[in-house]
C-alpha cells in the first residue's frame, strides 16, 4: 500500500500524451507504451483526465456515458491492461470523476428532454422569474448559466458550457447512480479518484440573483456539501483503505478545505485550491493581464500551508494542470533562464507540506504555445472569450496577448518526446499544434543530459521518499518580507529542512538566522552545490535546499 504523503502524482491528458495509431489523438495504448518512462521518473500515481464517451465539447469533461471508453481513446480492455501494466511497475491509476454535470448527450439528459419526469429531476430546471432568467448567474465559460428549453418553457442550469448540464445532487436517485459509477471503476482496480469541481455540487435551496457577483457565492462549498461528500465516501471508496482521493475545489476557503481533507471528517484525502494561480489576474479577472504579484503569492501559499497544517488538512500542491498555462512561461522565465527557473519552481512546490502533482511535460520544462492565429485554438473557453473580448471592442493584438498567456490550450499541446516529426507524438496530424520549440525541449534531450529539468524532477520525487521531513514535516515560513525570495523551513523529529528560492532573474542577498550551520548539507540545487552560510547571495532563479 502506498503512503500518499510520500507519493507523487503525474497527470496525463491522454489526448495529448502519445498516439499509437496515427489518428492524431493520444490514446490509452499510448499511456501503456510510456509506462517505463514514468516508472523511471519514479511517480506513484497517474491521474488520467476523462476518457469516457463524450462529444468532446469540453475535451471529455462533458461525459455522455460514465461506464465506457471513448473509441478515440481505445477500449475497456485497453483500460484493464493499463491498470495491470501500471501495477506491474508499482504505479496506480487515478481516475477523473466529473459529477457536477453531464454532457447534454448523456442518456439521462436526453430522457429528460423527452419529458421523462424521473430524469428531468436529475437536472436543475427552473422557470423564468418576471420574464427574466431564473437568476443572473454566469457560466464559468462566459455568458449566462441558463439555457432555455422551448417545450418546457424552462431553463436548465449549466455552470460550465451549455452542453454540460448541472446534476441535481439533492435528488437521492442521482447520488445513488453516482455511487454505482464510482464502485464500478473501483472494481476495475482504480486506486485513486479525482473529483472534478466537487465543491460546486450542492446548490442552494433558494435560487436568487447575485447582486455583487456571478452567483458563485451561493453554490461554492454549498449548504450540503460536507454531507454529500461524507455520504459518497461511505458508499464507495471509504470501504477500502488503499484508495486516495483528491477534490478539485473552486474558489474555496481554508476552513472548508480542512473539513474536506482532515482524516477525522472521512471526506477526501486531499484538495486542490487555485488561489495561488490567480495572482496574475487583474481585478480577479482571468482575461485581464497583470504580472505575478509575488507578495500575494507568498502570502497565499504561506496562509494555506499554515492553515491546513493547523487544521490537520492536506493539500494537493501543483503549478500546472490541463487548465493552467505553463508555469515556466508564467512565474519563471522560459527564455534566458529556462532551466534554472523551471527547476526552481519545481523545488519550491515539491518540498512544501502536501502531495505534489506534475502535469505532463512540466518535467521537461514545456512552455506556453504562443499561438498567433485564432484557428490554432481549440478550447471552448478560449473561443468563447475571443468573441466576448471582441464584443468589448478590445483590439485583436491585445486579445491575442491575453490568449497567449491565459488559454487552456497552452497546456494541452502534444507532449514533446523527441525531435522527430510531430515531436514523436503522432505519425498523423496532431489534433492541436505542436509547440515549435520541440526540437530543443523534449524527453529524449532530457534523458541525455544529467543536468536537465527532467533529472531534477526525478530527484525531487526520490527525495520525498528518502526524507521523512519532506513528507511529514511541519511548515514554517522564512524571510516573509523579502521581495524576491520564497523561503521556508520544515521540521520533523530531529530532521530539519531549509528551502531557499529566488523568484527573479537578478541576484539577491539574504541573511539567515540559523544554528548549527555546519550540520546542514545541500540536497538539491539548480546551480553548484554549496554550503549554508548566514549571509549569502542567491543567483538569478537560484533554488537550494539543505537538510540537517
Ligand atoms: O475545472 C474547473 C474550473 O473551474 C477551472 O479550472 C476552469 O477551467 C477555469 O476556471 C476556467 O477559467 C474543471 C476541469 O479541470 C476543467 O477542465 C473543466 O473544463 C471544468 O472542470 C468543467 O468540467
Ligand atoms: Ca490515437
Amino acid at each position: 500500500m502506498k503512503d500518499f504523503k510520500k507519493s507523487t502524482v503525474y497527470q496525463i491528458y491522454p489526448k495529448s500524451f502519445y498516439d499509437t495509431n496515427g489518428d492524431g489523438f493520444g490514446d490509452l495504448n499510448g499511456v501503456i507504451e510510456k509506462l517505463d518512462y514514468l516508472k523511471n521518473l519514479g511517480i506513484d500515481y497517474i491521474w488520467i483526465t476523462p476518457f469516457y464517451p463524450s462529444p468532446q465539447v469540453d475535451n471529455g469533461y462533458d461525459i455522455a456515458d460514465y461506464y465506457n471508453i471513448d473509441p478515440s481513446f481505445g477500449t475497456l480492455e485497453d483500460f484493464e491492461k493499463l491498470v495491470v501494466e501500471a501495477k506491474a511497475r508499482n504505479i496506480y491509476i487515478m481516475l477523473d470523476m466529473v459529477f457536477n454535470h453531464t454532457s447534454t448527450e448523456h442518456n439521462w439528459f436526453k430522457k429528460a428532454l423527452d419529458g421523462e419526469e424521473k430524469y428531468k429531476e436529475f437536472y436543475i430546471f427552473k422557470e423564468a422569474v418576471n420574464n427574466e432568467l431564473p437568476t443572473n448567474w454566469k457560466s464559468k465559460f462566459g455568458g449566462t448559466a441558463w439555457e432555455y428549453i422551448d417545450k418546457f418553457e424552462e431553463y436548465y442550469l449549466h455552470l460550465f458550457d451549455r452542453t454540460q448540464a448541472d446534476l441535481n445532487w439533492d435528488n437521492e436517485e442521482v447520488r445513488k447512480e453516482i455511487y454505482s459509477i464510482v464502485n464500478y471503476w473501483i472494481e476495475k482496480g482504480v486506486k485513486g479518484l479525482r473529483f472534478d469541481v466537487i465543491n460546486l455540487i450542492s446548490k442552494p435551496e433558494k435560487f436568487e440573483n447575485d447582486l455583487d457577483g456571478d452567483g458563485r457565492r451561493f453554490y461554492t462549498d454549498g449548504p450540503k456539501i460536507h454531507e454529500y461528500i461524507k455520504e459518497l465516501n461511505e458508499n464507495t471508496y471509504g470501504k477500502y483503505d488503499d484508495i486516495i482521493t483528491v477534490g478539485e475545489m473552486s474558489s474555496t476557503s481554508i476552513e472548508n478545505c480542512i473539513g474536506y481533507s482532515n482524516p477525522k471528517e472521512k471526506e477526501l484525502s486531499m484538495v486542490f485550491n487555485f488561489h495561488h494561480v490567480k495572482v496574475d489576474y487583474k481585478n480577479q479577472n482571468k482575461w485581464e493581464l497583470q504580472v505575478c504579484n509575488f507578495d500575494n503569492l507568498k502570502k497565499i501559499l504561506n496562509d494555506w500551508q499554515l492553515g491546513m497544517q493547523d487544521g490537520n488538512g492536506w493539500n494537493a500542491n501543483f503549478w500546472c494542470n490541463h487548465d493552467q498555462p505553463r508555469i515556466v512561461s508564467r512565474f519563471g522565465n522560459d527564455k534566458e533562464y529556462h532551466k534554472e527557473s523551471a527547476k526552481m519552481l519545481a523545488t519550491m512546490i515539491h518540498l512544501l507540506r502536501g502531495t505534489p502533482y506534475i502535469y505532463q511535460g512540466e518535467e521537461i520544462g514545456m512552455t506556453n504555445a504562443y499561438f498567433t492565429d485564432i484557428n490554432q485554438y481549440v478550447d471552448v473557453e478560449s473561443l468563447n472569450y475571443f468573441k466576448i473580448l471582441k464584443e468589448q471592442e478590445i483590439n485583436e493584438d491585445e486579445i491575442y496577448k491575453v490568449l497567449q498567456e491565459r488559454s487552456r490550450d497552452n497546456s494541452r499541446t502534444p507532449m514533446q518526446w523527441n525531435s522527430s516529426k510531430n515531436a514523436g507524438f503522432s505519425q498523423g496530424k496532431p489534433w492541436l499544434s505542436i509547440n515549435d520549440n520541440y526540437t530543443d525541449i523534449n524527453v529524449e534531450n532530457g534523458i541525455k543530459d544529467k543536468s536537465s529539468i527532467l533529472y531534477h524532477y526525478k530527484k525531487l520525487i526520490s527525495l520525498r521518499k528518502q526524507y521523512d521531513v519532506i513528507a511529514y514535516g511541519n511548515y514554517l515560513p522564512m524571510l516573509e518580507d523579502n521581495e524576491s525570495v520564497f523561503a521556508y523551513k520544515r521540521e520533523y523529529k530531529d530532521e530539519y529542512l531549509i528551502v531557499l528560492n529566488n523568484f527573479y532573474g537578478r541576484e539577491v542577498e539574504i541573511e539567515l538566522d540559523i544554528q548549527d550551520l555546519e550540520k546542514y548539507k545541500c540536497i538539491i540545487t539548480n546551480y553548484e552545490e554549496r554550503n549554508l552560510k548566514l549571509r549569502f547571495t542567491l543567483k538569478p532563479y537560484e533554488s537550494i535546499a539543505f537538510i540537517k
Side-chain angles (χ1 to χ4, degrees):
M1 203 167 90
K2 290 194 185 260
D3 174 354
F4 67 80
K5 299 190 174 178
K6 286 245 167 195
S7 296
T8 301
V9 184
Y10 186 90
Q11 183 192 351
I12 290 184
Y13 199 69
K15 205 175 195 170
S16 300
F17 194 60
Y18 186 54
D19 172 24
T20 54
N21 63 353
D23 64 357
F25 296 93
D27 38 56
L28 291 181
N29 279 324
V31 180
I32 297 174
E33 282 201 25
K34 296 297 183 183
L35 282 172
D36 284 330
Y37 166 69
L38 298 174
K39 181 185 173 200
N40 197 274
L41 186 57
I43 55 104
D44 297 278
Y45 290 87
I46 298 172
W47 150 27
I48 312 186
T49 60
F51 48 55
Y52 318 96
S54 157
Q56 301 284 325
V57 177
D58 188 19
N59 274 323
Y61 283 90
D62 45 332
I63 299 176
D65 173 2
Y66 288 99
Y67 292 96
N68 276 301
I69 310 284
D70 194 284
S72 79
F73 289 116
T75 61
L76 269 174
E77 288 69 47
D78 297 338
F79 177 74
E80 283 157 7
K81 182 168 172 213
L82 170 61
V83 173
V84 172
E85 292 291 326
K87 190 163 174 232
R89 291 164 179 84
N90 197 23
I91 295 172
Y92 289 125
I93 303 296
M94 170 185 275
L95 286 200
D96 210 319
M97 308 258 112
V98 187
F99 295 132
N100 176 68
H101 43 266
T102 72
S103 163
T104 49
E105 296 289 303
H106 194 286
N107 257 329
W108 298 337
F109 195 81
K110 288 193 193 156
K111 287 184 188 165
L113 283 194
D114 286 346
E116 267 190 59
E117 209 41 51
K118 168 176 159 135
Y119 290 102
K120 248 189 107 185
E121 299 282 310
F122 270 42
Y123 296 91
I124 300 167
F125 282 90
K126 298 274 176 204
E127 290 173 352
V129 178
N130 308 323
N131 281 322
E132 283 180 34
L133 296 171
T135 66
N136 65 350
W137 302 357
K138 295 276 173 287
S139 153
K140 306 216 181 239
F141 292 159
T144 169
W146 297 99
E147 181 75 6
Y148 190 63
I149 299 294
D150 275 336
K151 75 173 196 196
F152 298 149
E153 297 184 349
E154 278 175 340
Y155 298 82
Y156 69 84
L157 177 70
H158 62 89
L159 295 182
F160 293 89
D161 188 63
R162 70 183 66 212
T163 64
Q164 293 166 298
D166 279 52
L167 281 166
N168 174 16
W169 274 70
D170 295 327
N171 178 349
E172 199 190 339
E173 294 289 307
V174 169
R175 303 203 298 278
K176 283 195 180 146
E177 289 283 357
I178 288 169
Y179 307 150
S180 305
I181 298 163
V182 176
N183 287 327
Y184 168 83
W185 290 105
I186 289 176
E187 279 156 29
K188 293 215 175 290
V190 161
K191 297 283 180 219
L193 301 162
R194 179 254 187 202
F195 293 102
D196 191 59
V197 289
I198 193 70
N199 68 326
L200 308 185
I201 57 170
S202 171
K203 310 302 195 271
E205 217 163 290
K206 189 166 152 233
F207 279 63
E208 55 192 309
N209 282 335
D210 190 348
L211 300 179
D212 50 25
D214 59 7
R216 72 181 68 193
R217 65 195 171 102
F218 295 121
Y219 57 73
T220 303
D221 303 316
K224 295 196 167 165
I225 186 64
H226 293 285
E227 181 186 325
Y228 290 158
I229 298 181
K230 284 186 168 72
E231 200 185 287
L232 172 66
N233 175 312
E234 219 176 285
N235 286 284
T236 62
Y237 53 86
K239 297 182 197 152
Y240 308 82
D241 59 7
D242 63 344
I243 293 183
I244 67 165
T245 52
V246 55
E248 188 201 27
M249 303 301 173
S250 169
S251 307
T252 188
S253 66
I254 294 178
E255 195 193 353
N256 274 295
C257 284
I258 290 170
Y260 297 133
S261 64
N262 180 317
K264 266 208 329 242
E265 298 296 327
K266 295 201 185 342
E267 295 189 17
L268 300 164
S269 318
M270 59 185 123
V271 284
F272 290 117
N273 82 80
F274 298 88
H275 297 287
H276 67 297
V277 283
K278 294 185 177 173
V279 295
D280 53 3
Y281 291 7
K282 197 172 175 181
N283 310 316
Q284 322 262 33
N285 178 357
K286 172 168 177 175
W287 306 99
E288 278 186 65
L289 301 179
Q290 157 183 295
V291 291
C292 164
N293 181 334
F294 182 64
D295 278 353
N296 214 358
L297 178 70
K298 268 176 87 164
K299 189 171 178 325
I300 291 168
L301 285 173
N302 281 328
D303 286 352
W304 274 83
Q305 285 285 304
L306 293 170
M308 292 289 272
Q309 164 168 303
D310 286 346
N312 198 26
W314 196 252
N315 286 305
N317 291 320
F318 72 99
W319 288 124
C320 298
N321 66 30
H322 62 294
D323 296 329
Q324 298 294 324
R326 293 286 181 180
I327 199 64
V328 67
S329 304
R330 192 177 187 185
F331 299 164
N333 176 332
D334 63 10
K335 299 189 175 68
E336 297 99 293
Y337 295 106
H338 178 248
K339 246 182 168 177
E340 292 81 357
S341 64
K343 291 180 186 177
M344 181 279 288
L345 290 159
T347 302
M348 164 70 211
I349 207 85
H350 278 249
L351 300 184
L352 291 174
R353 179 182 177 278
T355 299
Y357 282 63
I358 300 170
Y359 175 68
Q360 67 183 47
E362 179 184 342
E363 77 278 19
I364 53 168
M366 277 179 64
T367 70
N368 278 349
Y370 300 110
F371 289 154
T372 49
D373 187 329
I374 191 63
N375 294 315
Q376 290 174 292
Y377 289 93
V378 171
D379 182 28
V380 54
E381 186 197 44
S382 299
L383 301 177
N384 285 352
Y385 273 96
F386 186 76
K387 273 219 290 257
I388 293 171
L389 297 174
K390 278 202 118 165
E391 278 157 21
Q392 293 170 7
E393 284 171 19
I394 296 172
N395 79 55
E396 213 162 270
D397 288 351
E398 189 55 36
I399 301 179
Y400 276 113
K401 260 202 224 151
V402 178
L403 284 179
Q404 285 177 356
E405 280 204 31
R406 297 291 146 87
S407 170
R408 303 194 300 179
D409 287 327
N410 281 312
S411 55
R412 299 175 181 184
T413 63
M415 182 73 180
Q416 296 164 204
W417 294 104
N418 56 45
S419 56
S420 73
K421 185 185 155 202
N422 296 329
F425 160 72
S426 171
Q427 292 304 313
K429 187 178 183 297
W431 71 278
L432 183 66
S433 308
I434 310 258
N435 194 313
D436 290 336
N437 61 23
Y438 75 91
T439 48
D440 182 30
I441 300 176
N442 63 54
V443 169
E444 207 171 274
N445 284 347
I447 292 173
K448 271 191 255 167
D449 170 13
K450 287 272 186 275
S451 74
S452 66
I453 299 168
L454 182 62
Y455 278 98
H456 194 84
Y457 272 86
K458 187 172 169 173
K459 183 155 189 191
L460 285 166
I461 296 166
S462 76
L463 288 173
R464 170 167 293 269
K465 303 217 185 298
Q466 189 180 347
Y467 294 107
D468 285 349
V469 65
I470 297 174
Y472 312 120
N474 261 332
Y475 179 88
L476 288 145
M478 282 170 75
L479 305 176
E480 270 172 288
D481 299 325
N482 191 296
E483 289 167 7
S484 326
V485 177
F486 201 127
Y488 54 88
K489 271 191 247 190
R490 307 281 311 278
E491 298 183 359
Y492 183 71
K493 297 186 177 162
D494 50 7
E495 252 179 18
Y496 298 85
L497 176 75
I498 291 175
V499 187
L500 308 170
N501 304 292
N502 180 2
F503 265 71
Y504 290 90
R506 51 176 187 256
E507 291 190 342
V508 42
E509 207 176 292
I510 52 171
E511 268 183 68
L512 304 169
D513 177 15
I514 294 164
Q515 275 83 55
D516 301 334
L517 267 191
E518 61 304 333
K519 291 192 183 151
Y520 281 89
K521 64 166 197 214
C522 171
I523 53 165
I524 191 162
T525 169
N526 55 355
Y527 286 85
E528 314 275 79
E529 282 196 12
R530 51 175 164 155
N531 296 330
L532 186 56
K533 293 205 201 81
L534 288 186
R535 205 158 191 218
F536 71 105
T537 306
L538 288 173
K539 299 190 179 75
Y541 293 102
E542 185 172 12
S543 160
I544 187 160
F546 299 94
I547 223 153
K548 181 178 85 163

